[in-house]
Amino acid sequence: MASLLSLSACGDDGGDSDGGGAACGEFAACGGDPTGSWTIEETCLDPSMFAELTETCDATIDISGVEMVGTAEFKPDSTYVTTSTMEGPMKIVYPPSCLTMEGVTITCAQLDATMQELLAQGAASFSSASCVAAGAGCACTLVLEGTTTTGAGTWSVSGSSLTVQADGEAAQEVPFCVEGSSLTMAIQAGEEGGAPGTGKSYMRLTKQ
């Protein structure tokens, strides 16, 4: 998403974002034993995951069309492997105050043209994009290209936190909860919601 920042350098410092279909509540971490092979069944993605698109601007974002698919395997030898793909459309509405680039006001058509140029250069992290005028502002639809990410490393459990350490990286603590054949875990390592041990962006997996 970093490639989009240069073309939506917004003038306001509001930073608010609204998540259209992300109102699935928080989950409470309860710990448990994550050993086994799991498949992602559903996700709750909080708009804060895409804050770089709106953090310097009073834009609104709807990520209800974005989903994550993949698998996770936590092996008995305390190693893990994961695969995940995030794909689907997101919609961002930029008010007039956001339509600036390097201090110069741009039109919605110019923003759309810049996105098309990024796509043509292969410099965008989305597979398609389109922007149309919305009143005095601009409504853009970006479709994530669905690149698959893999991970591997070691894992351990401490209370309701799953500590994962990817190869060559620092350890991260992830709130999680195992209930029967269901594993719920935060998508962003170390994420907490309004209370300790709760998560706002999370995935729910089913044991294979």
Side-chain angles (χ1 to χ4, degrees):
M1 291 301 173
S3 60
L4 183 62
L5 297 180
S6 62
L7 55 106
S8 59
C10 307
D12 283 3
D13 294 323
D16 295 331
S17 60
D18 299 328
C24 45
E26 298 176 348
F27 86 93
C30 68
D33 182 5
T35 303
S37 298
W38 308 82
T39 300
I40 299 175
E41 293 293 338
E42 59 181 348
T43 55
C44 179
L45 305 180
D46 189 83
S48 63
M49 292 182 64
F50 304 94
E52 69 269 23
L53 298 178
T54 59
E55 63 186 352
T56 59
C57 173
D58 190 22
T60 59
I61 182 169
D62 178 355
I63 60 172
S64 60
V66 178
E67 64 177 1
M68 180 181 289
V69 295
T71 61
E73 182 179 6
F74 296 98
K75 302 178 181 180
D77 64 357
S78 297
T79 62
Y80 75 87
V81 291
T82 62
T83 63
S84 62
T85 303
M86 191 173 292
E87 56 192 7
M90 65 174 67
K91 299 179 181 180
I92 308 171
V93 178
Y94 293 106
S97 58
C98 294
L99 298 179
T100 61
M101 188 182 339
E102 298 179 349
V104 178
T105 299
I106 62 174
T107 65
C108 185
Q110 289 174 317
L111 177 57
D112 180 76
T114 304
M115 289 190 176
Q116 303 312 316
E117 183 178 350
L118 285 174
L119 286 167
Q121 295 173 349
S125 58
F126 40 88
S127 59
S128 67
S130 63
C131 295
V132 296
C138 188
C140 298
T141 299
L142 311 181
V143 180
L144 298 182
E145 62 181 358
T147 300
T148 298
T149 301
T150 60
T154 60
W155 68 274
S156 62
V157 170
S158 176
S160 60
S161 291
L162 176 64
T163 300
V164 293
Q165 184 167 13
D167 295 338
E169 299 183 11
Q172 303 285 331
E173 292 188 358
V174 181
F176 81 108
C177 182
V178 176
E179 295 178 306
S181 60
S182 178
L183 164 63
T184 305
M185 57 189 296
I187 292 175
Q188 294 173 309
E191 177 189 323
E192 291 187 349
T198 61
K200 296 184 295 181
S201 297
Y202 55 88
M203 66 181 78
R204 186 163 288 113
L205 305 92
T206 299
K207 204 163 193 175
Q208 295 180 5

